Amino acid sequence: MAGRRRLDAILGHVDSQNTLAEDRSTSTHAQQQQQQQPDFACQQGFTTVEPVNCAADGEQVGPRIPKRRQDVLKWNGWGYRDSKFILDPKGDVFFEGSRYNISGGLPHFKAWMETIAGLNTDSVNKPQRELQSEDLPPSIRNEGFLDDLQKTGISFSLDGQDRLFRAHGHTLHDIFTLREGRFERIPDIVIWPACHDCVVKIVDLAGKHNVCIIPFGGGTNVTKAVECPLDEKRMIVSLDMTQMKKILWVDQKNLTACIESGIIGQDLETELAEHGLCTGHEPDSMEFSSLGGWVATRASGMKKNVYGNIEDLLVHVKMVTPKGVLEKNCHVPRMSTGPDLHHFIMGSEGTIGVITEVTLRIRPLPPVKRYGSVVFPNFDEGVAFMREVARQRCAPASIRLMDNEQFKFGQGLKPAASSMWSSLVDSLKKVYVTKLKGFEVDNMVVATLLFEGTKEEVSNQEKRVYSIAVDYGGLAGGEDNGQRGYNLTFAIAYLRDFGLDYYIIAESFETTVPWDRVVDLCRNVKERLSSECEARGVQYAPLSTCRVTQTYDAGACIYFYFAFVYRGLAKPVEVYEQIENCAREEILANGGSLSHHHGIGKLRKQFMQATVGDVGIGALKAVKQQLDPQNIFGNQCLI
């Protein structure tokens, strides 16, 4: 239980009880691959258990996301139904629900909101009513496929709400369509495989009957990856992998674990934590994203400095393609056997097959976890500090630098002071930083820190990092600010839905760039966003902000947030996408990458040729042709 409590503290959850609806689907496939070891039991050395029938769908206790996602998750926005920002009639902002430590009143947030140009909280834009089955496009049926699928006993649904929930991810276009429009094309059927063999049968049937498959994991993508192509005339299967959620085995001697790909991030970490283990992979979306999705998009986590990105964690992966199962013959840390097959799979985004099982490196839970923060007088000094920490290779598990706009935003999300004394202390800190040290409120920035390891490791690392900070004019900002900044990551995703209620469009995008171009790229992209807004008739000045989120020897990941009030625009999403494309052009012109961890999908594939060249596109097409000549996996991502 201690492990579970530690994970809930990371997520900011205060209610860890399982309140999810029972799985309503009962039809499952009844055969398991014999060599699998499907139940998780932790012992000394390699865990060996008796195989169980994979028809025992959902045997693991406590997944937070059920088959019927609509029972727990918002149908037209981010996250849980019971969690959201609200503005009450008195003008006070609250975060409703008890899942996050931000819950309750936010007395400073309204003042921050009023700094957004053009915002009028009296002008409310409520979303349309929840869509019903009769509002959705009818299902295209392939009767031969349906007849053969019925014979397998694999669980599926033709229900309109099930289909709608898997028709989209979380791009601005997706959410705006749910709030104000209709999807022209959605999946025709949702299928829930229960094991690897189920997936093999489904892919074989799809090839036999010429049916299109779009793999679906957590549904958190922001690249239009799971949107159904409008020109696809075949029956479209949404292959929902989330019932494949077992930890199949753990090897304690080699610290590896084999896991089914549909498991959701927070459930994976919870189950491993019960046995004192973790992967350490914490993307911002870990509450809802799946292991298979991490691999398919080459994901990165907030604690990659200690645990690595997904490519560093991955030991072995199994993928079902229309030509058969693609995998290596052994679970070893490295091989020299030609081009690495794993790199055909990582980043493939559901275009050549579906990932079914993943073997990851795991670690014991760190005995010490300590947060921290450092305030710098300006962004340039903060970046120089981040660069030096990376150069000396002493980065803590997480180190993120927020620019001035994000710093002020974070102050707006501070809860009410718990006492008069706390309020006095905060006032004194502000006086110390701004009056005595001369920091200007409109220039200062903050780096949030998370240290993990043994007591000695954390202590030594803190000394090095804070010593470097002093060299760049930094002041220690305290553990509370660091912890709040880290945990806020999970709650602020709800802000976009709140903004849309008041005609604010908001979105994020990311890139990687060499260190010597970080400052220039951040400045140039912000300037380009402002100029493109003006050129396209946006009436109010945009909010553009950024943070340095992951660091490397040779560069860093930059994460941009961009928002503007869209009143007066006839086609606001179209205007936004044009502006973001211009920002992407600016990023590429400044030596940045097309994506660091979000992937390409259909949203950014227009830039792929400029990114990898004609030869690179040809190579990707050749792999696609070899593994999927019928285009069974026809989501039209990447190329």
Side-chain angles (χ1 to χ4, degrees):
M1 290 305 297
R4 185 185 296 273
R5 286 194 298 272
R6 280 193 292 271
L7 181 76
D8 284 334
I10 294 169
L11 295 178
H13 289 185
V14 297
D15 179 9
S16 62
Q17 287 188 333
N18 176 23
T19 59
L20 303 183
E22 289 296 320
D23 194 329
R24 299 184 186 179
S25 232
T26 58
S27 176
T28 54
H29 182 53
Q31 193 125 34
Q32 174 85 338
Q33 199 176 19
Q34 286 188 349
Q35 64 264 35
Q36 284 183 336
Q37 296 151 335
D39 274 350
F40 175 37
C42 231
Q43 316 171 29
Q44 289 299 316
F46 189 81
T47 297
T48 305
V49 295
E50 290 298 318
V52 297
N53 193 312
C54 79
D57 188 4
E59 284 200 343
Q60 289 177 311
V61 176
R64 289 173 170 87
I65 312 301
K67 262 187 183 177
R68 280 185 52 86
R69 295 169 182 239
Q70 55 267 42
D71 292 339
V72 174
L73 303 181
K74 291 190 186 78
W75 76 275
N76 64 351
W78 178 266
Y80 296 104
R81 281 180 175 266
D82 60 10
S83 301
K84 61 181 177 180
F85 287 91
I86 58 171
L87 180 66
D88 72 8
K90 296 180 180 179
D92 297 323
V93 178
F94 290 81
F95 190 82
E96 191 174 71
S98 60
R99 295 178 185 270
Y100 302 90
N101 62 2
I102 193 178
S103 299
L106 302 169
H108 312 290
F109 194 64
K110 178 73 179 303
W112 178 83
M113 288 175 60
E114 290 171 349
T115 66
I116 300 174
L119 175 67
N120 179 4
T121 55
D122 294 327
S123 181
V124 181
N125 178 36
K126 289 299 181 184
Q128 66 183 334
R129 64 172 176 80
E130 187 163 352
L131 297 178
Q132 303 301 313
S133 295
E134 56 268 23
D135 302 315
L136 305 176
S139 177
I140 295 174
R141 297 172 65 95
N142 183 314
E143 297 299 341
F145 176 80
L146 289 172
D147 288 345
D148 282 349
L149 180 63
Q150 290 261 19
K151 295 171 186 175
T152 67
I154 297 171
S155 179
F156 68 88
S157 172
L158 297 167
D159 176 76
Q161 293 295 323
D162 288 334
R163 294 165 52 218
L164 176 63
F165 245 77
R166 292 151 183 88
H168 62 85
H170 283 274
T171 65
L172 176 65
H173 174 268
D174 295 330
I175 303 305
F176 212 87
T177 300
L178 288 167
R179 289 175 61 98
E180 301 194 11
R182 298 286 192 275
F183 285 102
E184 295 180 45
R185 189 77 166 90
I186 67 174
D188 301 302
I189 185 173
V190 179
I191 303 178
W192 290 278
C195 64
H196 171 83
D197 281 354
C198 292
V199 176
V200 172
K201 289 194 174 188
I202 293 164
V203 173
D204 286 347
L205 290 178
K208 175 182 176 182
H209 296 284
N210 194 26
V211 165
C212 176
I213 294 176
I214 298 180
F216 190 92
T220 59
N221 78 86
V222 288
T223 62
K224 299 185 181 180
V226 298
E227 283 190 20
C228 296
L230 297 181
D231 59 355
E232 181 56 75
K233 306 305 180 185
R234 299 174 294 178
M235 185 179 194
I236 296 178
V237 171
S238 177
L239 191 62
D240 188 320
M241 300 296 292
T242 54
Q243 298 311 295
M244 291 181 59
K245 54 195 176 188
K246 300 182 182 71
I247 298 176
L248 301 176
W249 52 257
V250 169
D251 183 342
Q252 289 247 22
K253 289 183 178 179
N254 294 309
L255 284 178
T256 55
C258 184
I259 308 144
E260 289 181 320
S261 64
I263 195 168
I264 299 301
Q266 61 177 330
D267 294 330
L268 171 59
E269 293 302 309
T270 297
E271 291 179 38
L272 287 173
E274 292 288 356
H275 301 273
L277 301 167
C278 68
T279 69
H281 188 71
E282 288 186 13
D284 291 2
S285 62
M286 73 168 292
E287 291 179 281
F288 309 109
S289 57
S290 71
L291 172 58
W294 299 346
V295 176
T297 57
R298 295 183 64 91
S300 179
M302 292 184 284
K303 300 193 297 187
K304 76 95 195 162
N305 294 329
V306 169
Y307 302 96
N309 291 320
I310 195 65
E311 65 268 23
D312 306 308
L313 289 165
L314 190 139
V315 175
H316 187 267
V317 61
K318 184 182 292 187
M319 170 183 272
V320 178
T321 79
K323 282 292 190 74
V325 177
L326 182 62
E327 65 175 325
K328 297 181 182 179
N329 71 323
C330 56
H331 294 62
V332 294
R334 190 176 189 275
M335 300 171 68
S336 179
T337 52
D340 193 341
L341 293 180
H342 288 171
H343 289 280
F344 289 122
I345 297 173
M346 288 189 289
S348 58
E349 298 191 16
T351 59
I352 57 175
V354 58
I355 297 158
T356 58
E357 296 173 13
V358 181
T359 301
L360 295 178
R361 295 178 175 86
I362 55 176
R363 293 195 183 199
L365 282 168
V368 175
K369 182 189 302 288
R370 203 138 61 214
Y371 295 91
S373 61
V374 182
V375 181
F376 293 94
N378 55 60
F379 189 66
D380 288 18
E381 294 288 355
V383 171
F385 158 76
M386 298 282 280
R387 173 66 186 109
E388 184 60 20
V389 169
R391 191 188 69 80
Q392 293 191 26
R393 294 191 173 183
C394 61
S398 174
I399 177 170
R400 296 185 293 178
L401 177 71
M402 290 175 271
D403 72 0
N404 180 254
E405 287 295 339
Q406 286 201 27
F407 169 75
K408 290 188 285 190
F409 165 73
Q411 297 303 299
L413 284 172
K414 290 180 69 173
S418 57
S419 67
M420 182 178 68
W421 174 248
S422 297
S423 179
L424 176 61
V425 170
D426 284 345
S427 297
L428 291 174
K429 288 178 181 176
K430 184 175 180 179
V431 169
Y432 176 74
V433 171
T434 58
K435 302 297 185 184
L436 298 182
K437 288 297 182 178
F439 285 28
E440 296 181 8
V441 172
D442 290 333
N443 287 325
M444 58 198 293
V445 301
V446 63
T448 59
L449 312 169
L450 171 60
F451 301 90
E452 290 189 354
T454 65
K455 182 178 179 180
E456 183 179 7
E457 287 170 343
V458 168
S459 178
N460 290 336
Q461 198 170 41
E462 284 179 318
K463 290 176 183 177
R464 290 189 67 184
V465 170
Y466 286 120
S467 175
I468 295 170
V470 170
D471 293 339
Y472 293 91
L475 297 173
E479 185 172 357
D480 288 346
N481 286 326
Q483 183 170 8
R484 186 173 62 253
Y486 190 88
N487 290 341
L488 276 177
T489 297
F490 301 103
I492 61 175
Y494 291 86
L495 273 172
R496 182 174 64 180
D497 301 332
F498 183 57
L500 285 169
D501 287 342
Y502 299 98
Y503 294 94
I504 298 173
I505 271 180
E507 189 60 287
S508 62
F509 51 92
E510 34 65 71
T511 184
T512 330
V513 65
W515 278 113
D516 62 349
R517 301 182 186 182
V518 168
V519 172
D520 289 344
L521 183 142
C522 292
R523 182 190 61 250
N524 293 346
V525 170
K526 289 179 182 180
E527 290 177 354
R528 182 73 181 270
L529 289 169
S530 294
S531 65
E532 294 296 338
C533 281
E534 185 176 355
R536 284 169 169 75
V538 176
Q539 297 180 15
Y540 306 99
L543 172 68
S544 55
T545 176
C546 67
R547 64 186 184 195
V548 182
T549 58
Q550 280 102 331
T551 62
Y552 301 86
D553 289 351
C557 171
I558 313 297
Y559 208 105
F560 289 93
Y561 291 90
F562 172 52
F564 59 82
V565 173
Y566 68 86
R567 284 199 312 275
L569 294 177
K571 297 180 178 180
V573 175
E574 184 177 314
V575 170
Y576 169 79
E577 289 180 344
Q578 291 171 357
I579 294 170
E580 185 186 327
N581 284 341
C582 291
R584 186 65 54 185
E585 291 173 356
E586 189 70 28
I587 286 170
L588 296 176
N590 280 266
S593 68
L594 185 53
S595 177
H596 172 261
H597 59 269
H598 282 168
I600 305 303
K602 292 183 273 290
L603 186 66
R604 301 186 182 101
K605 71 175 184 178
Q606 61 182 301
F607 297 103
M608 275 293 282
Q609 190 162 20
T611 299
V612 301
D614 291 339
V615 175
I617 292 291
L620 292 174
K621 287 182 176 179
V623 172
K624 169 73 172 176
Q625 179 61 30
Q626 172 62 31
L627 296 177
D628 186 18
Q630 291 179 258
N631 193 30
I632 298 302
F633 289 89
N635 62 15
Q636 297 185 14
C637 293
L638 285 179
I639 54 176

Short mmCIF file of all heavy atoms in Angstrom, two decimals, residues 46-66:
data_model
loop_
_atom_site.label_atom_id
_atom_site.label_comp_id
_atom_site.label_asym_id
_atom_site.label_seq_id
_atom_site.Cartn_x
_atom_site.Cartn_y
_atom_site.Cartn_z
N PHE A 46 13.31 -14.85 -11.50
CA PHE A 46 12.33 -14.81 -12.59
C PHE A 46 11.00 -15.37 -12.11
O PHE A 46 10.93 -16.45 -11.55
CB PHE A 46 12.85 -15.63 -13.76
CG PHE A 46 12.03 -15.49 -14.99
CD1 PHE A 46 12.20 -14.39 -15.81
CD2 PHE A 46 11.09 -16.43 -15.34
CE1 PHE A 46 11.46 -14.25 -16.97
CE2 PHE A 46 10.35 -16.30 -16.49
CZ PHE A 46 10.53 -15.22 -17.31
N THR A 47 9.95 -14.62 -12.31
CA THR A 47 8.62 -15.02 -11.87
C THR A 47 8.05 -16.04 -12.83
O THR A 47 8.00 -15.81 -14.03
CB THR A 47 7.69 -13.79 -11.82
OG1 THR A 47 8.22 -12.89 -10.87
CG2 THR A 47 6.28 -14.19 -11.44
N THR A 48 7.63 -17.18 -12.32
CA THR A 48 7.01 -18.20 -13.14
C THR A 48 5.66 -18.55 -12.55
O THR A 48 5.55 -18.83 -11.36
CB THR A 48 7.87 -19.47 -13.19
OG1 THR A 48 9.18 -19.13 -13.63
CG2 THR A 48 7.27 -20.49 -14.14
N VAL A 49 4.62 -18.50 -13.37
CA VAL A 49 3.27 -18.81 -12.90
C VAL A 49 2.59 -19.71 -13.90
O VAL A 49 3.01 -19.83 -15.06
CB VAL A 49 2.44 -17.52 -12.70
CG1 VAL A 49 3.01 -16.67 -11.62
CG2 VAL A 49 2.31 -16.75 -13.99
N GLU A 50 1.53 -20.36 -13.47
CA GLU A 50 0.76 -21.20 -14.38
C GLU A 50 0.00 -20.32 -15.37
O GLU A 50 -0.60 -19.31 -14.98
CB GLU A 50 -0.24 -22.06 -13.59
CG GLU A 50 0.43 -23.14 -12.76
CD GLU A 50 1.18 -24.13 -13.63
OE1 GLU A 50 0.64 -24.53 -14.68
OE2 GLU A 50 2.31 -24.49 -13.28
N PRO A 51 -0.01 -20.70 -16.66
CA PRO A 51 -0.79 -19.91 -17.62
C PRO A 51 -2.26 -19.94 -17.27
O PRO A 51 -2.76 -20.92 -16.76
CB PRO A 51 -0.52 -20.61 -18.96
CG PRO A 51 0.72 -21.40 -18.75
CD PRO A 51 0.72 -21.80 -17.31
N VAL A 52 -2.96 -18.82 -17.55
CA VAL A 52 -4.41 -18.79 -17.37
C VAL A 52 -5.05 -18.49 -18.70
O VAL A 52 -4.44 -17.97 -19.61
CB VAL A 52 -4.83 -17.72 -16.34
CG1 VAL A 52 -4.26 -18.03 -14.99
CG2 VAL A 52 -4.46 -16.33 -16.79
N ASN A 53 -6.32 -18.83 -18.82
CA ASN A 53 -7.07 -18.59 -20.03
C ASN A 53 -7.24 -17.09 -20.24
O ASN A 53 -7.65 -16.39 -19.34
CB ASN A 53 -8.45 -19.25 -19.88
CG ASN A 53 -9.19 -19.31 -21.20
OD1 ASN A 53 -9.25 -18.32 -21.91
ND2 ASN A 53 -9.72 -20.47 -21.50
N CYS A 54 -6.94 -16.60 -21.44
CA CYS A 54 -7.01 -15.16 -21.65
C CYS A 54 -8.44 -14.68 -21.75
O CYS A 54 -8.69 -13.49 -21.87
CB CYS A 54 -6.21 -14.72 -22.87
SG CYS A 54 -7.00 -14.98 -24.44
N ALA A 55 -9.41 -15.58 -21.66
CA ALA A 55 -10.79 -15.16 -21.56
C ALA A 55 -11.09 -14.52 -20.21
O ALA A 55 -12.12 -13.88 -20.04
CB ALA A 55 -11.73 -16.35 -21.76
N ALA A 56 -10.19 -14.66 -19.25
CA ALA A 56 -10.39 -14.04 -17.94
C ALA A 56 -10.12 -12.55 -18.06
O ALA A 56 -9.18 -12.01 -17.52
CB ALA A 56 -9.46 -14.68 -16.92
N ASP A 57 -10.99 -11.89 -18.83
CA ASP A 57 -10.81 -10.49 -19.21
C ASP A 57 -10.89 -9.60 -17.97
O ASP A 57 -11.85 -9.64 -17.23
CB ASP A 57 -11.91 -10.13 -20.20
CG ASP A 57 -11.72 -8.77 -20.82
OD1 ASP A 57 -10.70 -8.11 -20.56
OD2 ASP A 57 -12.62 -8.37 -21.57
N GLY A 58 -9.84 -8.77 -17.76
CA GLY A 58 -9.90 -7.80 -16.69
C GLY A 58 -9.67 -8.37 -15.32
O GLY A 58 -10.22 -7.89 -14.34
N GLU A 59 -8.85 -9.44 -15.18
CA GLU A 59 -8.65 -10.03 -13.88
C GLU A 59 -7.88 -9.13 -12.92
O GLU A 59 -8.03 -9.24 -11.73
CB GLU A 59 -7.90 -11.36 -14.03
CG GLU A 59 -8.79 -12.48 -14.52
CD GLU A 59 -8.20 -13.83 -14.20
OE1 GLU A 59 -7.00 -13.92 -13.90
OE2 GLU A 59 -8.96 -14.80 -14.23
N GLN A 60 -7.06 -8.23 -13.47
CA GLN A 60 -6.33 -7.35 -12.58
C GLN A 60 -7.31 -6.38 -11.91
O GLN A 60 -8.27 -5.92 -12.51
CB GLN A 60 -5.26 -6.59 -13.35
CG GLN A 60 -4.11 -7.50 -13.76
CD GLN A 60 -3.10 -6.75 -14.58
OE1 GLN A 60 -3.46 -6.07 -15.53
NE2 GLN A 60 -1.84 -6.88 -14.25
N VAL A 61 -7.05 -6.07 -10.67
CA VAL A 61 -7.98 -5.28 -9.88
C VAL A 61 -7.66 -3.80 -10.02
O VAL A 61 -6.51 -3.40 -9.98
CB VAL A 61 -7.90 -5.70 -8.40
CG1 VAL A 61 -8.81 -4.81 -7.55
CG2 VAL A 61 -8.27 -7.16 -8.25
N GLY A 62 -8.71 -2.99 -10.19
CA GLY A 62 -8.58 -1.57 -10.01
C GLY A 62 -8.17 -0.70 -11.17
O GLY A 62 -7.67 0.39 -10.94
N PRO A 63 -8.32 -1.10 -12.47
CA PRO A 63 -8.00 -0.15 -13.53
C PRO A 63 -8.92 1.06 -13.45
O PRO A 63 -10.11 0.92 -13.19
CB PRO A 63 -8.22 -0.95 -14.82
CG PRO A 63 -9.17 -2.03 -14.43
CD PRO A 63 -8.85 -2.37 -13.01
N ARG A 64 -8.37 2.23 -13.64
CA ARG A 64 -9.16 3.44 -13.48
C ARG A 64 -10.02 3.75 -14.69
O ARG A 64 -10.96 4.54 -14.60
CB ARG A 64 -8.23 4.63 -13.17
CG ARG A 64 -7.60 4.58 -11.79
CD ARG A 64 -6.56 5.69 -11.66
NE ARG A 64 -6.09 5.86 -10.29
CZ ARG A 64 -5.08 5.18 -9.76
NH1 ARG A 64 -4.46 4.28 -10.48
NH2 ARG A 64 -4.70 5.40 -8.52
N ILE A 65 -9.71 3.18 -15.86
CA ILE A 65 -10.44 3.49 -17.09
C ILE A 65 -11.15 2.22 -17.56
O ILE A 65 -10.50 1.26 -17.97
CB ILE A 65 -9.50 3.99 -18.20
CG1 ILE A 65 -8.58 5.09 -17.66
CG2 ILE A 65 -10.32 4.49 -19.38
CD1 ILE A 65 -9.28 6.30 -17.10
N PRO A 66 -12.49 2.18 -17.53
CA PRO A 66 -13.23 0.98 -17.94
C PRO A 66 -13.42 0.92 -19.45
O PRO A 66 -13.07 1.85 -20.18
CB PRO A 66 -14.57 1.15 -17.23
CG PRO A 66 -14.76 2.64 -17.22
CD PRO A 66 -13.38 3.25 -17.07
#
